[in-house]
Amino acid sequence: MPGIVIVGAQWGDEGKGKITDLLAEHSDAVVRFQGGNNAGHTIVRGDQEWKLHLIPSGILYPGKRCVIGNGVVIDPKVLIDELDSLRARGVDVGGLRISANAHLIMPYHMLLDSAGEVKLGSLQIGTTRRGIGPCYADKAARLGIRVQDLLDEKILKKKIVAAMEPKRLSLRPFEKDPSLDLHTMTEEYLTFGHRLEQHIADTSKLMWQMLDAGETVILEGAQGAMLDIDHGTYPFVTSSNPLAGAACVGTGIGPKAIDEIWGISKAYTTRVGAGPFPSELHDAMGERLRERGGEFGTTTGRPRRTGWLDLVALRYAARLNTMTSLVVTKLDVLSGLDRIQVCLSYRGADGAEFDDFPYHQTVLHHTTAELTELGGWKEDLGECRTMSDLPDGAREYLDFIADHIGVPVALIGVGPGREQTVWTDAGRATLIAPAVRS
Ligand code: GDP
Ligand code: IMO
Ligand code: MG
C-alpha cells in the first residue's frame, strides 16, 4: 500500500501524462491498466517533450518499475518502436514489465477498425483506427492472441488461424494485403516476441509483492470517464473501461489495495472524435481555446472539439470513480477572459432540466448546456507555484468547481512543464505526506 489511481474525468487528454510523471516521483511503480495506443500522454520536462502511447508515464525516472497491465491491448510493433525511441533518447527502459495476459493488436484489427468506420459513414465514431475496438471484441469472444502466445510458434499460428476464420467475410476486401499472410504475420509476431521476451512477466504477482512490501503504486488510466464503454456516451466511446474500478481488473489487484483516486480534468472541456458534447463551442471562443490550449490530438493530430467546463459530466465522473481528489489542468489557458462560463445543467429538447447526467442516449443527444457566468482574470498563470500566487478570479473558479462536485482540488496545472504546477494543502496532505512517510 498505497495504490493511487489516476484517471481522466472527461473525454480524454486531460493531462494524465503530466500528472502521472509528477506523482511518479513519489512512487515506486507506475502501471497502465486499460486502453492501448489510442492513448497519447504528453510529458514536458525543460525543453524536452515526450509523447507516450503504451509505456507508462513513469518511465523517465531511472530504475522506476513500469508495468503494462493485463487490461491493456498492445500493438507490439508500436511498443517496440516506443522502446527504441526512448532508448535512443537515453532513457533506461530495463524496468518495464509487460503482462503475459495482455491482448495483442493484430494487423486484421487495424484493418477492421478502419473498415468499420468507413462502413458507418456519417455515423462514424471517429476512432483512432489503431485496432482497439476489434482487439477488445476478440478478447471478449475468446479469440484473442495474448503476449504469452508470442513465445510459442505452434500456438501462435493456431490462434491466428482460429481468430481469422470467423472474420473471413469482413476481411475479404483485404485478401491481397501482405500483412494478412499467415506465414508473414506469424514470423513478424514471433520476432516481436523475441524482442519483448525479457520484459514479459506475471505482472499481477509483481503488483501484490510491491503492495505487500508497502510500496506506492500508481495505476495510470488512459482516455476518460465519458469514453467508458459502460458509462460513457455510448456508442461514441472507446472499447474499455477508463474508470478507477477497472484499475483492479486491469492489473490483477483487489479493490482494497486502492487508497487514492485522482481524477484529472481540464479547466474547460475537449473531445476528439464524434459524439455528444453539450457544452461544445462552435464560435470564436471555441477557436480561442483550441489555439491557446494547443488542442490537437497527441495520437492522430486531429483538432480537438472545445467547450466550457461541463460540471454535470464532471460530477458524474466523480461519482463513477469515487474520486478522492481532483486535478484541474490548463487553468492558464483561461487567462485573459473577462467572463468564464460553466455548464451546471442540461436543457432537454422538451425543455426539461437535467442536473444529473441523463442515462438515455436520445435524451443526451438533444440536450444543450445551461451556462452560468463567473468572473475571469487577466494575469498569466505560467509562473504561479502556490495558491497565493493565483489571482482571486482563478481561486474563485477553483473553489466553485470543488464545491459543485464535492471533491477537493489537489493540484492545478498552469502550463505544460512539470514545474508549472500548484499544489494545494489538500493535495500535499493526501499524497506527499503519506508517500514520504512510507
Ligand atoms: P493525456 O492524454 O491526458 O496525458 O493528455 P495529452 O498529453 O493528450 O494532452 C494534454 C496536453 O496539454 C499536452 O500537450 C500537455 O503537455 C498539455 N498540458 C498538460 N497540463 C497542462 C497545463 O496545466 N497547462 C497547459 N497549458 N498545458 C498542459
Ligand atoms: P488519452 O489516453 C482522447 C477517442 C477517439 C474516439 C473514441 C474511440 O490520450 O486521453 P478508439 O480508437 O479508442 O476506438 O476511439 O475514443 N479516444 C480518445 N480521445 N484521448 C484519448 O486517449 C483517446 N483514446 C480514444 O477519438 O472518439
Ligand atoms: Mg492524450
Side-chain angles (χ1 to χ4, degrees):
M1 303 277 194
I4 300 156
V5 181
I6 293 179
V7 281
Q10 299 173 304
W11 278 276
D13 301 326
E14 299 90 348
K16 298 175 292 292
K18 171 182 162 174
I19 304 304
T20 304
D21 169 62
L22 204 65
L23 298 196
E25 190 180 348
H26 307 282
S27 80
D28 300 292
V30 181
V31 192
R32 269 277 304 268
F33 60 85
Q34 46 69 235
N37 60 309
N38 46 351
H41 297 177
T42 315
I43 301 171
V44 178
R45 287 182 170 197
D47 59 358
Q48 297 246 45
E49 187 179 63
W50 313 81
K51 289 182 188 297
L52 300 169
H53 298 285
L54 275 166
I55 296 181
S57 304
I59 197 74
L60 301 185
Y61 294 91
K64 183 84 60 192
R65 177 64 77 210
C66 282
V67 177
I68 299 181
N70 57 277
V72 176
V73 288
I74 299 173
D75 182 331
K77 184 171 187 326
V78 171
L79 178 56
I80 288 166
D81 286 349
E82 202 162 301
L83 281 167
D84 286 346
S85 73
L86 284 168
R87 260 195 221 105
R89 291 176 72 178
V91 177
D92 170 14
V93 294
L96 180 73
R97 293 292 175 272
I98 307 164
S99 168
N101 289 352
H103 282 248
L104 294 169
I105 295 181
M106 306 297 290
Y108 43 84
H109 292 140
M110 282 174 274
L111 293 172
L112 292 173
D113 194 354
S114 291
E117 286 284 272
V118 170
K119 212 179 274 173
L120 282 170
S122 62
L123 297 176
Q124 67 178 242
I125 294 157
T127 74
T128 58
R129 302 195 177 201
R130 301 297 193 264
I132 307 295
C135 182
Y136 277 117
D138 267 356
K139 175 178 177 175
R142 291 156 293 185
L143 288 170
I145 319 274
R146 297 191 293 173
V147 167
Q148 57 186 277
D149 301 326
L150 292 174
L151 305 178
D152 186 319
E153 180 172 357
K154 244 168 78 186
I155 287 181
L156 178 64
K157 200 175 245 166
K158 230 164 90 181
K159 290 197 174 181
I160 294 176
V161 171
M164 287 182 69
E165 168 59 29
K167 302 178 182 59
R168 259 194 309 181
L169 197 63
S170 41
L171 287 174
R172 193 168 288 161
F174 309 106
E175 248 166 10
K176 297 205 163 56
D177 194 311
S179 71
L180 292 189
D181 175 74
L182 178 63
H183 180 72
T184 313
M185 202 189 311
T186 312
E187 286 302 312
E188 191 181 25
Y189 273 67
L190 283 172
T191 312
F192 295 151
H194 290 311
R195 287 288 310 274
L196 295 175
E197 193 167 0
Q198 56 177 312
H199 299 285
I200 301 174
D202 177 352
T203 52
S204 52
K205 188 169 167 190
L206 181 66
M207 299 275 297
W208 306 333
Q209 287 165 345
M210 295 193 79
L211 290 164
D212 285 350
E215 298 191 342
T216 304
V217 177
I218 294 182
L219 300 105
E220 179 187 15
Q223 291 84 50
M226 306 311 292
L227 288 171
D228 184 273
I229 190 165
D230 286 278
H231 301 280
T233 51
Y234 192 90
F236 300 98
V237 293
T238 192
S239 298
S240 67
N241 296 106
L243 296 177
C248 296
V249 183
T251 55
I253 61 170
K256 285 194 166 181
I258 307 293
D259 299 79
E260 296 281 336
I261 297 159
W262 284 40
I264 321 295
S265 168
K266 284 177 187 169
Y268 49 97
T269 310
T270 64
R271 171 166 205 169
V272 205
F277 181 174
S279 68
E280 183 168 14
L281 289 164
H282 297 281
D283 56 6
M285 182 58 74
E287 192 53 44
R288 182 189 191 279
L289 293 175
R290 184 159 34 251
E291 288 305 319
R292 290 277 308 258
E295 298 297 353
F296 297 89
T298 308
T299 298
T300 57
R302 291 177 287 176
R304 294 176 183 146
R305 298 159 65 193
T306 53
W308 293 119
L309 184 62
D310 179 345
L311 290 174
V312 179
L314 189 56
R315 205 172 47 216
Y316 180 57
R319 293 302 299 263
L320 289 168
N321 282 300
T322 56
M323 211 184 268
T324 58
S325 291
L326 179 68
V327 175
V328 178
T329 61
K330 302 192 114 168
L331 191 63
D332 52 297
V333 175
L334 298 184
S335 284
L337 298 177
D338 290 329
R339 314 291 297 165
I340 293 170
Q341 299 197 309
V342 286
C343 167
L344 288 183
S345 63
Y346 298 157
R347 182 75 60 192
D350 59 357
E353 190 170 359
F354 294 88
D355 294 326
D356 294 319
F357 200 76
Y359 74 91
H360 202 289
Q361 190 188 342
T362 313
V363 173
L364 177 65
H365 282 233
H366 292 99
T367 56
T368 49
E370 289 287 302
L371 298 170
T372 297
E373 222 170 51
L374 304 172
W377 61 90
K378 288 266 170 274
E379 297 85 341
D380 189 287
L381 306 186
E383 299 297 321
C384 295
R385 297 293 177 267
T386 63
M387 284 305 280
S388 54
D389 292 342
L390 291 175
D392 290 345
R395 271 201 307 269
E396 283 159 18
Y397 186 56
L398 294 167
D399 286 345
F400 187 90
I401 297 169
D403 284 350
H404 198 80
I405 70 160
V407 177
V409 174
L411 259 185
I412 300 129
V414 292
R418 74 190 306 277
E419 71 292 347
Q420 292 182 293
T421 306
V422 174
W423 283 89
T424 66
D425 290 342
R428 284 189 190 284
T430 56
L431 186 73
I432 292 190
V436 168
R437 267 205 308 275
S438 66

